[in-house]
Amino acid sequence: MTDNEPIFDVAQLSHVELFTPKMDESLWFFKELLGLQESSRDGKSVYLRGYEESYHHSLKLTERDQPGMAQMGWRASSKLALDRRVSQIEKLGAGIGWVDTEAGYGPAYEYRTPDGHIQRIFWEVERATIPDSLKTPLINRPQKRPLSGVPVRRLDHVNLMCSDVGPMRRFYQEAMGTRLRETIIAGGGEVEVAAWMSHNNLVHDVAMMRDESGVKGRLHHVAFWYGYPQHLSDAADVFREHNIQIEAGPGKHGITQAAFLYCFEPGGNRVELFGDAGYLIFEPDWKPVVWEEKDLEAGIIWHGSQLPQEFFMVGTPPVPANE
Amino acid sequence: MTDNEPIFDVAQLSHVELFTPKMDESLWFFKELLGLQESSRDGKSVYLRGYEESYHHSLKLTERDQPGMAQMGWRASSKLALDRRVSQIEKLGAGIGWVDTEAGYGPAYEYRTPDGHIQRIFWEVERATIPDSLKTPLINRPQKRPLSGVPVRRLDHVNLMCSDVGPMRRFYQEAMGTRLRETIIAGGGEVEVAAWMSHNNLVHDVAMMRDESGVKGRLHHVAFWYGYPQHLSDAADVFREHNIQIEAGPGKHGITQAAFLYCFEPGGNRVELFGDAGYLIFEPDWKPVVWEEKDLEAGIIWHGSQLPQEFFMVGTPPVPANE
Amino acid sequence: MTDNEPIFDVAQLSHVELFTPKMDESLWFFKELLGLQESSRDGKSVYLRGYEESYHHSLKLTERDQPGMAQMGWRASSKLALDRRVSQIEKLGAGIGWVDTEAGYGPAYEYRTPDGHIQRIFWEVERATIPDSLKTPLINRPQKRPLSGVPVRRLDHVNLMCSDVGPMRRFYQEAMGTRLRETIIAGGGEVEVAAWMSHNNLVHDVAMMRDESGVKGRLHHVAFWYGYPQHLSDAADVFREHNIQIEAGPGKHGITQAAFLYCFEPGGNRVELFGDAGYLIFEPDWKPVVWEEKDLEAGIIWHGSQLPQEFFMVGTPPVPANE
Amino acid sequence: MTDNEPIFDVAQLSHVELFTPKMDESLWFFKELLGLQESSRDGKSVYLRGYEESYHHSLKLTERDQPGMAQMGWRASSKLALDRRVSQIEKLGAGIGWVDTEAGYGPAYEYRTPDGHIQRIFWEVERATIPDSLKTPLINRPQKRPLSGVPVRRLDHVNLMCSDVGPMRRFYQEAMGTRLRETIIAGGGEVEVAAWMSHNNLVHDVAMMRDESGVKGRLHHVAFWYGYPQHLSDAADVFREHNIQIEAGPGKHGITQAAFLYCFEPGGNRVELFGDAGYLIFEPDWKPVVWEEKDLEAGIIWHGSQLPQEFFMVGTPPVPANE
């Protein structure tokens, strides 16, 4: 393999761990409204998964005084791919070390993004145990579609706020071989404001955007996937009637062409529901789409709901009042 | 790279060339009803593309007395990946040789599947030239959405009929590193009846099914992508009113979870319109979903339109009457 | 008012009472899968309503050894309209008499169709009592959208099987002022096979079709309304995984342009889920659409799922085996 | 018939005539983007209809220096109903007189709303002549679905701006028997700000809203119907790429539960595309839904796109600059 060849060592975003100061309410939201399935509990944590996910969990909720992201995990494409990535992370000086005791997956290497977000990468995974009562004749689906709320199918992506997009974007490229799909460049070509990146055919499985607060390492949002726009309308209906704060949507971004709905789960973390497949990227020499300020009006919102100014400011954990 | 690692040398299905005995009517179908854009003409051939495809063409229509597939083309992930695949094809004794003169892409290596379907693989591509009048502020889309008919977005997959599925499936695995996603095994585990395979996160960019006629190397169908189920309903509306024969659909397969609509274009080739994303596969160690006879009722049709018996018999070119 | 003027004395289909031999399973179906709300219970009966219905109930389930329809009820447009219709029913010799003791509505006049289906018409209604916890800020909606299953919004129509369509159609026209919207005439214009009729802008709030069994007064199906085609796909998903027998659909009828899904509730009655608004009729001098045998292929199914032969044979109660 | 009974003398909104200062561009918009069909031309006017409308036209476009509404027309339920309404209009002193020479319908009685909007009511209509090439096997549809743009099915409603909502609302009730469905009452119950009214099962076929400019008799918007939410997304896609100004949407109003998309046609008139059926009203004693200021946030927008402040200010014709 030469330096010029694309890297395929990371297969997918596998899970995210969120902190919540309101565990009961957060669980109610994710289980009753979004139909996530509980796989197990452990101390102050609950492990959840979508009904079309075969792994033990894609969402770990952990009780804590402030919302935010504890860590997120990537599954490597192979055991060797994991080794190559760990070697590269260590070469970049971003490594923390091996974690051996987590439910749901085998030895994971923990590391930091330049902004401090904790990441894990691993190869071995544990599959969810599906009780017979949830088995489905649709055997490419791990279990029956839940009867609760408007059930999501799987975790889609994470969007990270960061003090400086450039180093974040380069770190993903260099450490993980992540491909840049779309980017916003402001200031006459000087300032990277946001980047959408992926390890596969999605337009993004990770995104990053500039945090104007100057605080480092915060979470912007976690996204779960429906694949059908009607479900965004259904979910919005349910959210309105159950006092879940909708921040924006349903609407359609120009960037990524995503049909979106943004809300805040009761613990305070922003959650996106994703209503279609956007577009998929198959071109191996994809030239990143560069949105300049003149194009941004169409890029931010192609049609439908606008984004409030807070969308670009609010992340978790919240910025302390005295900052 | 060891033998145990997945191969990522093929990036995507890039184009298909169909024969049509009724060029004018076929062009009317693909351009007026499906909104394909004409890139160029050349002798007896017309080159077409979907409005979200950046390459010169994804469909080449060539006039001939019988319908059928002339060849289909794969884009490699890199120049080196192309070299590796050609080397492997030659090692398997399936090679034909280099083709240098085709519009839309650079040097292509031509080879045969075990059943005789002509395939091409290449690295270099030519992008479509988009006139200014078709430029769109949605800059991740190559051109404006057409105003004609119910426009498709891109080529999705090809389904090949074959005399024996096992050798076809193994050839793709060995020659291309194609991953087996779902399969039908009949006869108590003895007979592979159909296989759905992909080089990326799609459940399939190529499929193959047993041709009961015993004829080799035929085409079952070519599929184009909408991504929204409503468009299948819209297309069916249009097809009914314009005497396009609908074979089946809209409906939903269990296998691949695809929202489908099958019709015959005026030249006689079966065309599928694909109304959602089905499900996407991110697991690097995906265990192929095996449909046995007992599961097939749910697998063939999960809900909606049934498939007629002809679906499993008819391909192009037609079987000569005296066979 | 002259004889030539249209009659607007019947406002709407208000409720239907079904018999079920499996009360628990039927309740589970209507409440957990279709999201109907329980208003009250009374002896062997349970009263249910959709979340966008303000009346006490639109569905009454009553335990009995055989499925079938006990009675269905129409709400008059005014007190005087009720009087006029009762007078006309009595003139036609179809009356049974006044029913005063039913939950949910005031004095109802009971009568028989020519085939013996029990009908009721009334003016006074009781509104459902909505607990505060179900109140919604969407104040044109009686209560919150349920979180269970794929919830239906309201009762839409009833389809009656009958030994002879002509007298049934004429009875509705003469007794109720019901308007004929679409009809199937077979046998070279001699035999009315089915009729779709309404008292308002719907293509049908009552339909009738010929019962080839020769049995009189049976039910073909009761339909509930979603208004969005995606919900038919969602409901079909749920039905497949919970062993609810889908008879046909999702698909689209030519006649009425309805997006349909037919299933059997556990008690044995056929239930239709209605996925769009079809088309609405506003023309006051609507000329009934006549489907002859040559047009029927498009009329029965415009696209999608076909109807099995049983669709035209099976009703409730079932035909005794010795007939 | 007593005073207490509902009046059913008006069957439907039949047409609207719009002025446009840019006839060619307006025609391009309505024909190429919305798929309206041209029925005939006459001097400075062009008559258009939707593909599921059987009358000669539902939209008349007339060239003039300023946009705005020339007149709108109602079809009576019968000849006698027309006579009753004319008698009542004259009793209210709102009559102008009979118009006998218009294409598409018979003698029409012209009258004024309290704010001066010109209205017509008539009984006789002329059906569109459909060429054989446009005939469809879906015989409840007047003609084939067009292949141009995202075709609308029919005219849905008109929204009128007015200097004072109360007198407008009462005039419709008294002159036409129009039923009040929903209303906004501000100022602690003192000021009617807007009203949604209908003559049939729609939540509104006419609406009226307070014009803060103080100018009388302006048009807010004309709405055409799709019935499927996806078509709003498709239309928005097309509008963005063809420089049609989208004012708001797609989104969902709480009031009327309508899935909406508002744009300005090139002549300057606001046009709404209506993406579902909202909800339908069958209750004969419907109690108008009253939105007070405290409920309005949910009422104006239930979810999705917000309305800009201009939505409440801009109508046609525009307010002269010196006012």
Side-chain angles (χ1 to χ4, degrees):
Chain A
M1 189 179 284
T2 77
D3 288 354
N4 291 331
E5 289 209 72
I7 293 166
F8 298 100
D9 284 350
V10 180
Q12 65 179 131
L13 175 66
S14 187
H15 70 257
V16 63
E17 178 181 353
L18 294 183
F19 293 127
T20 173
K22 299 183 179 177
M23 178 61 91
D24 288 348
E25 293 90 332
S26 290
L27 275 177
W28 167 81
F29 171 80
F30 284 112
K31 293 173 71 173
E32 300 307 314
L33 302 195
L34 298 193
L36 289 187
Q37 306 292 294
E38 185 174 325
S39 282
S40 64
R41 297 195 178 210
D42 177 16
K44 296 199 163 194
S45 297
V46 180
Y47 296 89
L48 302 163
R49 65 179 196 277
Y51 72 98
E52 289 197 339
E53 294 178 313
S54 79
Y55 299 164
H56 175 267
H57 69 275
S58 61
L59 178 65
K60 180 183 180 184
L61 282 183
T62 296
E63 195 154 20
R64 208 193 194 188
D65 62 339
Q66 291 279 13
M69 185 181 79
Q71 45 91 15
M72 57 192 276
W74 300 96
R75 189 170 184 209
S77 298
S78 66
K79 176 71 178 72
L80 289 173
L82 173 61
D83 295 344
R84 282 193 296 268
R85 288 310 104 205
V86 171
S87 164
Q88 178 70 2
I89 292 163
E90 293 185 333
K91 195 191 305 179
L92 292 168
I96 299 176
W98 290 93
V99 178
D100 293 322
T101 58
E102 180 63 276
Y105 45 92
Y109 190 81
E110 196 166 76
Y111 59 101
R112 276 190 195 87
T113 70
D115 227 55
H117 309 88
I118 304 297
Q119 312 276 297
R120 291 177 181 176
I121 185 168
F122 47 86
W123 162 243
E124 293 171 28
V125 289
E126 175 191 355
R127 253 75 184 186
T129 304
I130 309 296
D132 281 351
S133 64
L134 292 182
K135 294 263 167 70
T136 166
L138 188 61
I139 58 176
N140 51 28
R141 174 184 283 177
Q143 66 149 77
K144 285 179 185 163
R145 173 192 164 113
L147 295 178
S148 302
V150 186
V152 297
R153 295 166 71 184
R154 59 167 173 76
L155 177 64
D156 190 81
H157 66 265
V158 171
N159 184 312
L160 302 170
M161 297 185 94
C162 58
S163 56
D164 196 351
V165 170
M168 282 285 284
R169 187 257 305 156
R170 279 191 299 276
F171 174 76
Y172 270 97
Q173 289 173 316
E174 292 168 13
M176 296 287 123
T178 319
R179 282 172 277 286
L180 179 62
R181 302 319 201 160
E182 304 200 27
T183 182
I184 301 176
I185 307 283
E190 296 292 308
V191 187
E192 293 183 48
V193 174
W196 290 262
M197 307 182 76
S198 75
H199 306 82
N200 42 42
N201 299 125
L202 300 180
V203 180
H204 62 318
D205 51 11
V206 64
M208 49 213 66
M209 56 187 278
R210 186 184 178 85
D211 190 334
E212 299 296 340
S213 75
V215 178
K216 286 189 166 194
R218 298 204 297 163
L219 171 71
H220 192 266
H221 68 262
V222 174
F224 290 88
W225 197 64
Y226 283 123
Y228 300 101
Q230 178 65 43
H231 294 157
L232 295 191
S233 188
D234 296 344
D237 224 18
V238 163
F239 293 170
R240 288 290 303 210
E241 295 190 329
H242 291 276
N243 293 317
I244 298 301
Q245 183 194 344
I246 295 175
E247 186 184 40
K252 194 162 183 75
H253 290 306
I255 299 166
T256 76
Q257 294 189 20
F260 66 83
L261 172 66
Y262 294 99
C263 69
F264 290 96
E265 56 90 16
N269 294 293
R270 187 187 282 104
V271 172
E272 181 184 4
L273 288 314
F274 200 162
D276 60 7
Y279 70 103
L280 299 174
I281 297 176
F282 299 99
E283 300 184 18
D285 53 351
W286 179 257
K287 197 180 157 209
V289 176
V290 180
W291 297 85
E292 299 176 56
E293 276 150 330
K294 68 180 172 55
D295 304 317
L296 269 186
E297 183 267 337
I300 300 292
I301 298 296
W302 180 239
H303 60 66
S305 175
Q306 298 299 309
L307 298 180
Q309 195 53 36
E310 289 73 21
F311 183 84
F312 303 98
M313 309 296 289
V314 173
T316 47
V319 176
N322 59 344
E323 286 195 55
Chain B
M1 190 179 284
T2 78
D3 288 354
N4 292 332
E5 289 210 72
I7 293 166
F8 297 102
D9 285 349
V10 179
Q12 67 179 129
L13 175 65
S14 186
H15 71 258
V16 63
E17 178 181 354
L18 295 182
F19 293 127
T20 173
K22 299 183 179 177
M23 177 60 91
D24 289 347
E25 292 90 333
S26 290
L27 276 178
W28 167 81
F29 172 81
F30 284 112
K31 293 173 70 173
E32 299 307 314
L33 303 194
L34 298 192
L36 289 187
Q37 306 292 294
E38 185 174 324
S39 282
S40 63
R41 298 196 176 207
D42 177 17
K44 295 198 163 197
S45 297
V46 181
Y47 296 89
L48 301 162
R49 65 180 196 278
Y51 71 97
E52 289 197 339
E53 294 178 311
S54 79
Y55 300 165
H56 175 266
H57 69 277
S58 61
L59 178 64
K60 180 184 180 184
L61 281 183
T62 296
E63 195 153 20
R64 208 192 193 190
D65 62 338
Q66 291 279 15
M69 185 181 78
Q71 46 91 16
M72 57 191 276
W74 300 96
R75 190 171 183 207
S77 297
S78 67
K79 177 69 179 71
L80 289 172
L82 172 61
D83 295 344
R84 282 192 297 268
R85 288 310 105 205
V86 171
S87 165
Q88 179 70 1
I89 292 163
E90 292 185 334
K91 195 190 303 179
L92 292 167
I96 298 176
W98 289 93
V99 178
D100 293 322
T101 58
E102 179 63 278
Y105 45 93
Y109 189 80
E110 196 167 75
Y111 59 101
R112 277 191 194 85
T113 71
D115 227 55
H117 308 89
I118 304 297
Q119 313 275 298
R120 291 179 179 175
I121 184 167
F122 47 86
W123 162 243
E124 292 172 27
V125 289
E126 176 191 355
R127 254 75 183 186
T129 305
I130 309 298
D132 282 351
S133 65
L134 292 182
K135 294 262 168 71
T136 166
L138 188 61
I139 58 175
N140 51 28
R141 174 184 283 176
Q143 66 149 77
K144 285 179 185 164
R145 173 193 166 111
L147 295 178
S148 302
V150 187
V152 299
R153 295 166 70 183
R154 60 167 172 76
L155 177 64
D156 190 81
H157 66 265
V158 171
N159 185 312
L160 302 171
M161 298 186 92
C162 58
S163 56
D164 197 351
V165 169
M168 282 284 286
R169 188 258 305 155
R170 281 191 298 276
F171 174 77
Y172 270 98
Q173 289 173 314
E174 292 168 14
M176 297 286 123
T178 319
R179 283 173 276 285
L180 179 63
R181 303 318 201 162
E182 304 200 27
T183 181
I184 301 176
I185 307 283
E190 296 292 309
V191 187
E192 293 183 47
V193 175
W196 290 262
M197 308 182 75
S198 74
H199 305 83
N200 42 43
N201 300 125
L202 299 180
V203 180
H204 62 319
D205 52 11
V206 65
M208 49 213 67
M209 55 187 278
R210 187 183 177 86
D211 190 334
E212 299 296 340
S213 75
V215 178
K216 288 190 165 191
R218 297 203 299 162
L219 171 71
H220 192 266
H221 68 261
V222 174
F224 290 88
W225 197 64
Y226 283 125
Y228 300 102
Q230 178 65 42
H231 293 157
L232 295 191
S233 188
D234 296 343
D237 223 19
V238 163
F239 293 171
R240 289 288 304 210
E241 294 190 330
H242 290 277
N243 294 315
I244 298 300
Q245 185 195 342
I246 295 175
E247 187 185 40
K252 194 163 183 75
H253 290 306
I255 300 166
T256 76
Q257 295 189 20
F260 66 83
L261 173 65
Y262 294 100
C263 69
F264 290 97
E265 57 90 15
N269 295 292
R270 187 187 280 103
V271 172
E272 181 184 4
L273 289 312
F274 201 162
D276 60 8
Y279 70 101
L280 299 175
I281 297 176
F282 299 100
E283 300 184 17
D285 54 351
W286 180 256
K287 197 180 158 211
V289 176
V290 180
W291 297 85
E292 299 176 56
E293 275 149 330
K294 68 179 172 58
D295 304 318
L296 269 186
E297 184 267 337
I300 300 292
I301 298 297
W302 181 239
H303 60 66
S305 175
Q306 298 299 308
L307 298 181
Q309 195 53 36
E310 290 72 22
F311 184 84
F312 304 97
M313 309 296 289
V314 173
T316 47
V319 176
N322 59 344
E323 288 196 55
Chain C
M1 189 179 285
T2 78
D3 288 353
N4 292 330
E5 289 209 72
I7 292 167
F8 298 101
D9 285 349
V10 180
Q12 64 178 133
L13 175 67
S14 187
H15 71 258
V16 63
E17 178 181 354
L18 295 182
F19 292 127
T20 173
K22 299 183 178 176
M23 178 60 91
D24 289 348
E25 291 91 333
S26 291
L27 276 178
W28 167 80
F29 171 80
F30 284 112
K31 293 173 70 174
E32 300 307 314
L33 302 194
L34 298 192
L36 288 187
Q37 305 293 294
E38 185 174 325
S39 282
S40 65
R41 298 196 176 208
D42 176 17
K44 295 197 163 196
S45 297
V46 181
Y47 297 88
L48 302 163
R49 65 180 195 278
Y51 71 97
E52 290 196 339
E53 294 178 312
S54 78
Y55 299 165
H56 174 266
H57 69 276
S58 60
L59 178 65
K60 180 182 179 183
L61 282 183
T62 296
E63 195 154 21
R64 208 192 195 189
D65 62 339
Q66 291 278 15
M69 185 181 79
Q71 46 90 15
M72 56 192 275
W74 300 97
R75 188 168 184 210
S77 297
S78 67
K79 176 70 179 70
L80 289 172
L82 173 61
D83 295 343
R84 281 192 297 268
R85 287 310 105 206
V86 170
S87 164
Q88 178 70 1
I89 292 164
E90 292 185 335
K91 195 190 304 180
L92 292 168
I96 299 176
W98 289 94
V99 178
D100 293 322
T101 57
E102 179 64 278
Y105 45 94
Y109 189 80
E110 196 166 74
Y111 59 101
R112 277 190 195 85
T113 71
D115 228 56
H117 309 88
I118 305 297
Q119 312 276 298
R120 291 179 180 175
I121 184 167
F122 47 85
W123 162 243
E124 292 172 28
V125 290
E126 176 191 355
R127 253 76 183 184
T129 305
I130 308 298
D132 282 350
S133 64
L134 292 182
K135 294 262 167 70
T136 166
L138 188 61
I139 59 175
N140 51 27
R141 174 183 282 177
Q143 67 149 78
K144 284 178 185 166
R145 172 193 166 112
L147 295 179
S148 301
V150 186
V152 297
R153 295 166 71 184
R154 60 165 172 78
L155 177 64
D156 189 81
H157 66 265
V158 171
N159 185 312
L160 303 171
M161 297 185 94
C162 58
S163 56
D164 197 349
V165 169
M168 282 285 285
R169 187 256 305 153
R170 280 191 298 276
F171 174 76
Y172 271 97
Q173 288 174 316
E174 291 168 14
M176 296 287 123
T178 319
R179 283 172 277 285
L180 179 63
R181 303 320 201 160
E182 304 200 27
T183 182
I184 301 177
I185 308 282
E190 296 292 309
V191 187
E192 293 184 47
V193 175
W196 289 262
M197 308 182 74
S198 74
H199 305 83
N200 43 42
N201 299 124
L202 300 180
V203 180
H204 62 319
D205 52 12
V206 64
M208 49 213 68
M209 55 187 278
R210 187 183 178 84
D211 190 334
E212 300 295 340
S213 76
V215 178
K216 287 189 164 194
R218 298 204 296 163
L219 171 72
H220 192 266
H221 68 262
V222 174
F224 291 88
W225 197 66
Y226 283 124
Y228 300 101
Q230 177 66 42
H231 293 157
L232 295 191
S233 188
D234 296 344
D237 223 19
V238 163
F239 293 171
R240 289 289 304 211
E241 294 190 330
H242 291 276
N243 294 316
I244 299 300
Q245 183 194 343
I246 295 175
E247 187 185 40
K252 193 164 184 74
H253 290 307
I255 300 166
T256 77
Q257 294 188 22
F260 66 83
L261 173 65
Y262 295 100
C263 69
F264 290 97
E265 56 91 15
N269 295 291
R270 186 187 282 104
V271 173
E272 181 185 4
L273 289 313
F274 201 162
D276 60 8
Y279 70 102
L280 299 175
I281 297 177
F282 299 99
E283 300 185 16
D285 54 349
W286 180 257
K287 198 179 156 210
V289 176
V290 180
W291 297 85
E292 299 175 54
E293 276 151 330
K294 67 180 173 55
D295 304 317
L296 269 185
E297 184 266 338
I300 300 293
I301 298 296
W302 182 238
H303 59 66
S305 174
Q306 298 299 308
L307 299 180
Q309 195 53 38
E310 291 72 21
F311 184 84
F312 303 98
M313 309 296 290
V314 173
T316 47
V319 176
N322 59 345
E323 289 196 55
Chain D
M1 188 180 282
T2 78
D3 289 354
N4 292 332
E5 289 209 73
I7 292 167
F8 298 100
D9 285 349
V10 180
Q12 66 179 131
L13 175 66
S14 186
H15 71 257
V16 63
E17 179 181 353
L18 295 182
F19 293 126
T20 173
K22 297 183 179 176
M23 178 61 90
D24 288 349
E25 291 89 335
S26 291
L27 276 178
W28 167 81
F29 171 80
F30 284 112
K31 294 173 70 174
E32 300 307 314
L33 302 194
L34 298 192
L36 289 187
Q37 305 293 293
E38 185 175 325
S39 282
S40 65
R41 299 197 176 206
D42 177 17
K44 295 198 163 193
S45 297
V46 181
Y47 296 88
L48 302 163
R49 66 180 195 276
Y51 72 97
E52 288 196 339
E53 294 178 313
S54 79
Y55 299 164
H56 175 266
H57 69 276
S58 60
L59 178 64
K60 180 182 179 184
L61 282 183
T62 296
E63 194 154 19
R64 209 193 194 188
D65 62 338
Q66 290 279 15
M69 185 182 77
Q71 46 91 15
M72 57 191 277
W74 300 96
R75 189 168 183 208
S77 297
S78 67
K79 176 70 179 71
L80 289 172
L82 173 62
D83 295 343
R84 282 193 296 268
R85 288 310 105 206
V86 170
S87 164
Q88 178 70 2
I89 293 163
E90 292 186 335
K91 195 191 302 180
L92 292 168
I96 299 176
W98 290 95
V99 177
D100 293 322
T101 57
E102 179 64 278
Y105 45 93
Y109 189 80
E110 196 166 75
Y111 59 101
R112 276 191 195 85
T113 71
D115 228 54
H117 309 88
I118 304 297
Q119 312 275 297
R120 291 178 181 176
I121 184 167
F122 46 86
W123 163 242
E124 292 171 28
V125 290
E126 176 191 355
R127 253 77 184 185
T129 304
I130 308 297
D132 281 351
S133 65
L134 292 181
K135 293 264 166 69
T136 165
L138 188 60
I139 59 176
N140 52 27
R141 176 184 282 177
Q143 67 149 78
K144 284 178 185 164
R145 172 193 166 113
L147 295 178
S148 301
V150 186
V152 297
R153 295 166 71 184
R154 60 166 173 77
L155 177 64
D156 189 82
H157 66 264
V158 170
N159 185 311
L160 302 171
M161 297 186 92
C162 58
S163 56
D164 196 351
V165 169
M168 283 285 285
R169 188 256 306 154
R170 280 192 298 276
F171 175 76
Y172 270 98
Q173 288 174 316
E174 292 167 14
M176 297 287 123
T178 319
R179 283 172 277 286
L180 179 63
R181 303 319 201 161
E182 304 201 26
T183 181
I184 301 176
I185 308 283
E190 296 292 309
V191 187
E192 293 183 49
V193 175
W196 289 262
M197 307 182 75
S198 74
H199 306 83
N200 43 42
N201 299 124
L202 299 180
V203 181
H204 62 320
D205 51 11
V206 64
M208 49 212 68
M209 56 187 279
R210 186 184 178 84
D211 190 335
E212 300 294 340
S213 75
V215 178
K216 287 189 164 195
R218 298 203 297 163
L219 170 72
H220 193 265
H221 68 262
V222 174
F224 290 88
W225 197 64
Y226 283 124
Y228 300 102
Q230 178 66 42
H231 294 157
L232 295 191
S233 188
D234 296 344
D237 223 19
V238 163
F239 292 170
R240 289 290 303 211
E241 294 190 329
H242 290 277
N243 294 316
I244 298 300
Q245 183 195 342
I246 294 176
E247 186 185 40
K252 194 163 182 75
H253 291 304
I255 300 165
T256 77
Q257 294 189 21
F260 66 83
L261 173 65
Y262 294 100
C263 69
F264 290 97
E265 56 90 16
N269 295 292
R270 187 188 280 105
V271 173
E272 180 184 5
L273 289 313
F274 201 162
D276 60 8
Y279 70 103
L280 299 175
I281 297 176
F282 299 98
E283 300 185 18
D285 54 350
W286 179 256
K287 197 180 158 210
V289 176
V290 180
W291 297 85
E292 299 174 55
E293 274 150 330
K294 67 181 173 54
D295 305 317
L296 269 185
E297 184 267 336
I300 300 292
I301 298 296
W302 181 239
H303 60 66
S305 174
Q306 298 298 309
L307 298 180
Q309 196 52 38
E310 290 72 21
F311 183 83
F312 303 98
M313 309 296 288
V314 172
T316 48
V319 177
N322 59 344
E323 289 195 54

